[in-house]
Each structure stands twice: as structure tokens, then as C-alpha cells.
Amino acid sequence: MDDFEKIKDIWSSEKSIHLPDSEEIKSNIQQYKSSKRRNMYLLAVAAFLCLATIIVVIISCKADHYTKVVGEVLIFLGILIVLFIKVRSLKKSNISELTSNKVFLDNLKNSTLRKSKTSALHMVAFVLIGAGYAFYMYMYVLDNKLLMIFSYSALVIFLLFMYFIFRPFTERISRRKVKRLIDTIEGIKAQIKK
């Protein structure tokens, strides 16, 4: 009888950890998948609208100086790269939808550990759009040196802000979400193995 009481005390003193059931885990994974896919669709639509807008600008506003033509072409190429990246991501997302949750989580874990090629393509697109805008606005600010200094300074500050502050911030948030999901799954796996 004394042994039973000791065992009962030991059992009661242990922390009880709530293990979510398999449906809750599947639901969390599906929510992450759907939010990721929704964001990719929104970004692809936004890139397509930007591409359509630049095409309308190119067609309707005849360029009267070579800097405008260079600017339009660079902006067009930058937006085309962004659209290509998003369409490629959507294809991968649709393929991963057909895989099991375990394969999806393994791919997610591997993709967070290695640096993606798309970040380099994003940088190329970012630089092309920024340089295109700089070329495009040149003729508008040429006559007013103060406006030129202000415009180009604002462009450089904006690009630096987007690259050094906004981009790392969004990457951290995305990695935190993925890490939280993976940690939950890994914690459950570890508890089950015990």
C-alpha cells in the first residue's frame, strides 16, 4: 500500500502536458498551408496588376526621352521577375498540397534551414524596379536640383528601409511561424517516443 501512495504522489507531481489530438495537428498544418497559399495568390495578383499598369503606362504615355524608356523597361522586367517567382511558388504550393503532412513539414523544415534562391531573385527584381523608377523620374526632376536631390534621397532611403528593416522583419515573422509549427510537432513526437 505504501508503494502505491508513493507512485501516486510521483504521478501527481509530474507536469501533465496536453497533447493535441491528430485532428488539431492536421488543422494547424492546413491553416498554415492555406494562409501561405492565400498570401502567394494575393502577391501574384498584385504583381499582375502592377504589370498591367506598367503596360498601360508604356502604351498610353509615349516616352519622349530615353531615360523614360529605360525606366519603363527596368520596371517591367522587375515586375515580371516578381510575377515569375510568385507563379513558381504557387506551382510548388499546389504540388505540396498533394503530399502528406509529414512530407510537407519535412520540406518546410528543410526550406527554413537553407537560404532560398528566390531571395536572390527578389533582390534582382527590387534593384530593377528601384533603378527603373530612378531613370523614369529623371526628366521630371532635371530642372529643379532641390527636387532631384530630395526625390533621389527619398528613393534611396525607401530602398534601404525596405532591404534592411522591412525584409528582415517579415522574414523573422515567417520563420517564427514555421518554427512554432515545427516545434509543436517535434515536441509531440518526442513525447510520444517516451
Side-chain angles (χ1 to χ4, degrees), residues 6-194:
K6 286 179 185 175
I7 292 172
K8 190 172 143 184
D9 288 340
I10 292 171
W11 183 266
S12 298
S13 68
E14 287 294 313
K15 291 182 189 174
S16 64
I17 299 171
H18 168 70
L19 285 177
D21 61 350
S22 62
E23 290 304 314
E24 188 177 344
I25 296 169
K26 286 179 187 177
S27 171
N28 286 342
I29 294 170
Q30 289 302 336
Q31 283 177 347
Y32 181 80
K33 279 183 181 180
S34 64
S35 71
K36 189 174 178 183
R37 193 177 333 100
R38 183 185 65 242
N39 289 342
M40 282 189 282
Y41 275 119
L42 288 174
L43 289 172
V45 167
F48 180 75
L49 290 175
C50 289
L51 190 65
T53 303
I54 194 70
I55 289 171
V56 168
V57 167
I58 290 171
I59 292 171
S60 65
C61 301
K62 300 296 180 200
D64 54 349
H65 198 263
Y66 76 93
T67 57
K68 279 189 174 181
V69 174
V70 170
E72 290 170 347
V73 168
L74 290 176
I75 292 170
F76 180 80
L77 289 174
I79 294 171
L80 203 60
I81 290 172
V82 170
L83 189 62
F84 168 75
I85 291 169
K86 295 306 161 193
V87 168
R88 190 176 70 180
S89 295
L90 282 169
K91 282 183 182 178
K92 285 181 182 178
S93 173
N94 289 336
I95 290 170
S96 74
E97 189 67 31
L98 300 174
T99 62
S100 68
N101 285 339
K102 181 184 180 329
V103 172
F104 174 78
L105 286 173
D106 290 340
N107 290 340
L108 191 62
K109 190 187 244 182
N110 292 336
S111 69
T112 56
L113 296 177
R114 63 178 158 69
K115 197 68 174 167
S116 172
K117 291 179 187 175
T118 57
S119 62
L121 278 176
H122 274 116
M123 271 313 301
V124 169
F126 189 68
V127 168
L128 285 174
I129 292 170
Y133 183 72
F135 274 105
Y136 189 82
M137 71 177 190
Y138 177 75
M139 285 306 295
Y140 295 112
V141 297
L142 179 63
D143 297 333
N144 189 340
K145 297 298 181 196
L146 185 62
L147 183 61
M148 180 185 281
I149 291 169
F150 176 75
S151 299
Y152 284 112
S153 298
L155 177 64
V156 168
I157 289 169
F158 174 75
L159 293 175
L160 290 173
F161 171 79
M162 292 299 287
Y163 183 74
F164 288 110
I165 296 172
F166 184 74
R167 182 188 56 85
F169 175 73
T170 56
E171 284 178 1
R172 267 195 311 271
I173 289 174
S174 177
R175 285 203 172 131
R176 257 188 235 139
K177 286 181 183 177
V178 171
K179 186 175 179 342
R180 197 175 319 126
L181 183 65
I182 290 173
D183 286 347
T184 302
I185 303 299
E186 292 296 326
I188 292 167
K189 281 183 186 176
Q191 290 176 23
I192 291 172
K193 289 179 183 177
K194 285 183 180 179

